[in-house]
Amino acid sequence: MKFCRFIFSTEGASVAVPRYGILDGENVQEISAAPWTEWGGTGRSFPLSSVRLLAPVEPRKIVCVGRNYSAHAAELGNDVPKEPLIFLKPPTSVIGPADAIVLPKYSQRVEHEGELGLVIGRKCSHLNDQENPLSYVMGYTCMNDVTARDLQKADVQFTRAKGFDTFCPTGPHIESELRPDDLLVETIVNGDVRQSGKTSLMVFPPAFLVRWISRMMTLEPGDLIATGTPAGVGPIAAGDVVDVRIAGIGVLRNPVHPPIA
């Protein structure tokens, strides 16, 4: 199923009430609650053209994995980590499909990083070797771990470079019926393919990441894990349009806007 979160196109931001639904062709079937909770159908259906899709999750935390593709580690002059290299992005960085990535005035080089996102479906902590980590994942989505590369190089850790508002585009929906082992992840800027790599090339695959992360922090329903980016990262500029395309999920598209004066 393709789970989405939406508001009606005619609603203003101040009065909009986000709803959850299931994409069914050119329609959205409304559901009663978030898909990682107990939910049911409401019996209401709306044309897709009448709604605006939002980020499909409102995570309490976003756990990101760095240098999880060998070629990406190499292109930035880094070694492949012996254990997953993780960091956090703030929930305030999340935006949805068609929302603008706003360049910060504090950085001279902002780059795209298209990634597969894992959406946690039920609470997990200290998973043992016999448990199936993917049974705790309710679905998969597209993400863009937007990065101020000059600030990342200047700082010891990644918080500032990765944490600006609008630096975590997510969507356009969550696909629940998918195997994450061998998906093609691509990033396209203004129609040109910049990144293209399969998830089978990950150093640490999705199941390993869920188990490993659960052993240091409790993962809660609706949390996001960004699994790392293939090689080919590069700069984005005001006026660009960035697509993250993942086979079996769809396309997350975001325009790039200049800094706020």
Side-chain angles (χ1 to χ4, degrees):
M1 291 185 178
K2 300 182 187 299
F3 293 99
C4 65
R5 183 167 160 266
F6 67 95
I7 59 173
F8 295 112
S9 300
T10 55
E11 290 181 309
S14 60
V15 299
V17 178
R19 296 167 166 85
Y20 290 93
I22 298 171
L23 292 175
D24 181 16
E26 294 301 312
N27 294 292
V28 177
Q29 307 290 337
E30 187 183 39
I31 61 177
S32 59
W36 48 85
T37 65
E38 293 187 9
W39 59 271
T42 67
R44 300 205 299 170
S45 177
F46 310 101
L48 183 57
S49 59
S50 71
V51 307
R52 180 165 74 88
L53 295 181
L54 308 174
V57 290
E58 292 183 287
R60 294 182 65 179
K61 56 183 171 292
I62 306 160
V63 187
C64 303
V65 183
R67 304 170 192 168
N68 200 26
Y69 290 78
S70 298
H72 171 58
E75 74 179 344
L76 297 182
N78 298 307
D79 295 330
V80 174
K82 293 182 173 60
E83 293 183 306
L85 172 65
I86 64 171
F87 57 92
L88 299 174
K89 290 175 86 88
T92 48
S93 65
V94 174
I95 57 174
D99 291 338
I101 300 166
V102 180
L103 301 175
K105 59 185 177 182
Y106 310 103
S107 172
Q108 301 305 308
R109 187 178 178 93
V110 175
E111 297 188 357
H112 57 78
E113 293 192 10
E115 311 196 4
L116 173 69
L118 315 181
V119 180
I120 299 299
R122 56 193 179 107
K123 184 176 180 179
C124 64
S125 179
H126 297 284
L127 298 186
N128 61 45
D129 291 342
Q130 286 69 50
E131 293 181 271
N132 175 14
L134 295 184
S135 70
Y136 291 85
V137 176
M138 67 83 46
Y140 306 88
T141 192
C142 304
M143 298 181 66
N144 189 348
D145 177 24
V146 182
T147 302
R149 194 70 69 197
D150 50 351
L151 302 184
Q152 184 185 26
K153 291 179 179 179
D155 294 349
V156 175
Q157 43 73 39
F158 297 173
T159 303
R160 181 167 64 136
K162 304 277 192 173
F164 286 100
D165 290 353
T166 76
F167 268 30
C168 191
T170 304
H173 53 261
I174 302 165
E175 175 56 67
S176 64
E177 299 174 5
L178 195 66
R179 292 184 59 86
D181 314 281
D182 194 31
L183 303 175
L184 181 63
V185 179
E186 295 182 300
T187 305
I188 301 100
V189 180
N190 302 329
D192 295 327
V193 177
R194 296 265 192 94
Q195 295 180 271
S196 183
K198 289 198 169 185
T199 56
S200 56
L201 298 174
M202 287 182 182
V203 178
F204 305 103
F208 182 96
L209 293 173
V210 175
R211 178 182 289 113
W212 194 83
I213 293 168
S214 81
R215 292 177 175 177
M216 68 198 69
M217 67 181 77
T218 299
L219 293 169
E220 299 170 301
D223 282 349
L224 274 173
I225 298 176
T227 56
T229 196
V233 298
I236 54 177
D240 287 347
V241 175
V242 184
D243 292 349
V244 177
R245 181 171 63 200
I246 301 180
I249 301 176
V251 178
L252 168 66
R253 173 170 292 176
N254 298 94
V256 182
H257 285 189
I260 297 173

